[in-house]
Amino acid sequence: MSDISAFLIFGPPGSGKGTVGAKLATTTGIKHLSTGDIFRGLSPASENGKLFASYAGAGKLVPDEVTVKIFSRFVGGLIDTNKFAPEKDSFLLDGIPRTVAQAELIKSVVNIKHIFVLDIPDYSIIVERLLKRAKIEGRKDDADETVIRARLKEYEDKTAAVLGAYNESLITKINGAQDPDTVLRDSLTAYIKAK
Ligand code: AMP
């Protein structure tokens, strides 16, 4: 078990993990770390960058071993360059673990203290949000409804089960369909209770 503390913001694509995660991190000082952002930051010419593009372009998850390797290397880099101090800082993970195997593999990297689940059972809200985000952020995997549906299927088939790998007492559900300020307020309340 690692001694690096981490909170986890969890939910389907388009549930607001990135937006709420960034605000929660700014308000509390915990370090927001999104694997989607890490992957999008890879050089498109690199082997891992090409691998990411081939999976993300089809709405698929990158394989577990390589995902966890890239993630742990990134975390190691933050520690080595004094951007994260394990004795005082905590991460807010966004986008990992996304499979039960990843939940097992990252145990040696981070110790999950609490999980905030952004719950949106109505997928039509998600599709609408992602198509809108595609126009603002120019993300290709948000622009194509077929890719969005494939990502939601990956979430249902592989990611939703991740919650079962953690004790129920570590999990707080938040209604992610509310307006962003209310979602942030509920997340902050849950963070303060869990801290
Ligand atoms: P996100 O920005 O979290 O929606 O991630 C965008 C894409 O990056 C996903 O559709 C996956 O292809 C890939 N990705 C991000 N995090 C992971 C992960 N933990 N495991 C596998 N693939 C991931």
Side-chain angles (χ1 to χ4, degrees), residues 87-108:
E87 63 283 3
K88 67 175 174 71
D89 292 332
S90 312
F91 282 117
L92 178 62
L93 301 182
D94 162 1
I96 191 166
R98 248 167 151 126
T99 65
V100 174
Q102 288 181 20
E104 196 52 46
L105 286 168
I106 66 164
K107 274 187 190 164
S108 61

Side-chain angles (χ1 to χ4, degrees), residues 11-161:
S15 56
K17 299 188 296 292
T19 314
V20 175
K23 284 188 189 157
L24 194 58
T26 311
T27 319
T28 61
I30 44 177
K31 312 272 179 190
H32 183 216
L33 191 57
S34 144
T35 44
D37 286 348
I38 296 173
F39 279 134
R40 281 184 289 278
L42 294 171
S43 159
S46 68
E47 208 170 299
N48 285 336
K50 284 182 194 155
L51 185 82
F52 162 66
S54 72
Y55 282 94
K60 296 275 181 200
L61 293 179
V62 176
D64 293 328
E65 298 279 345
V66 65
T67 295
V68 173
K69 205 190 250 178
I70 292 169
F71 168 72
S72 2
R73 207 171 54 191
F74 197 90
V75 168
L78 292 176
I79 294 169
D80 289 349
T81 55
N82 289 316
K83 293 191 182 83
F84 183 89
E87 63 283 3
K88 67 175 174 71
D89 292 332
S90 312
F91 282 117
L92 178 62
L93 301 182
D94 162 1
I96 191 166
R98 248 167 151 126
T99 65
V100 174
Q102 288 181 20
E104 196 52 46
L105 286 168
I106 66 164
K107 274 187 190 164
S108 61
V109 189
V110 285
N111 177 16
I112 307 263
K113 296 282 189 200
H114 203 82
I115 304 174
F116 312 111
V117 181
L118 299 184
D119 199 26
I120 305 197
D122 181 355
Y123 280 180
S124 65
I125 298 178
I126 289 178
V127 175
E128 201 178 302
R129 273 191 190 177
L130 291 179
L131 290 171
K132 200 164 139 196
R133 186 169 76 180
K135 293 200 184 110
I136 300 165
E137 293 180 15
R139 266 182 64 173
K140 278 196 216 126
D141 59 340
D142 284 343
D144 181 337
E145 193 164 333
T146 316
V147 177
I148 294 176
R149 296 277 171 201
R151 284 157 68 200
L152 289 169
K153 188 163 182 337
E154 287 282 78
Y155 177 79
E156 281 188 352
D157 291 349
K158 299 177 183 165
T159 307

